[in-house]
Amino acid sequence: MTVYAIGQIFIHDRARYDRYAAAFLATLSLYGGSLLAADEAPVAIEGALACQKVIVLKFPDEAAFRAWERSPEYCEIAVDRRAATSGSVMLVRGVGSASG
């Protein structure tokens, strides 16, 4: 079942985050992931925003997401993301499957 990883972050070290972002896409494609959205100017329609940037990733299934997030390629660059940002990341299941 398709899963989406949604990040809601604040960036507090731009140089370090930009270094992470420059290497990010190459790690994603190795594991079947794709970047659907990355917006530093999200607009709140209801409620208040609790972030500066929203990122939406798509993976074929949770196993592919977990393989990517634990991969040596991603772990190497994730050090910069974790040091440069604060916020949350959530994993949500897509709709339309027999189990979802």
Side-chain angles (χ1 to χ4, degrees):
M1 168 191 331
T2 301
V3 297
Y4 300 90
I6 303 168
Q8 299 176 318
I9 63 171
F10 289 97
I11 301 166
H12 48 81
D13 184 335
R14 175 56 69 175
R16 210 158 172 188
Y17 183 78
D18 287 349
R19 183 171 59 208
Y20 161 79
F24 172 77
L25 283 178
T27 70
L28 241 163
S29 60
L30 295 173
Y31 296 88
S34 57
L35 177 64
L36 299 182
D39 192 345
E40 287 195 30
V43 177
I45 302 302
E46 292 185 24
L49 287 176
C51 64
Q52 170 191 7
K53 182 173 185 174
V54 175
I55 305 99
V56 181
L57 308 176
K58 178 182 176 182
F59 288 87
D61 52 37
E62 185 173 348
F65 169 78
R66 298 290 180 194
W68 169 73
E69 93 167 318
R70 295 174 182 149
S71 72
E73 300 88 357
Y74 184 69
C75 287
E76 182 178 335
I77 66 168
V79 171
D80 281 331
R81 184 197 49 86
R82 290 184 183 109
T85 66
S86 59
S88 64
V89 179
M90 66 192 87
L91 192 63
V92 298
R93 290 186 287 275
V95 296
S97 74
S99 63

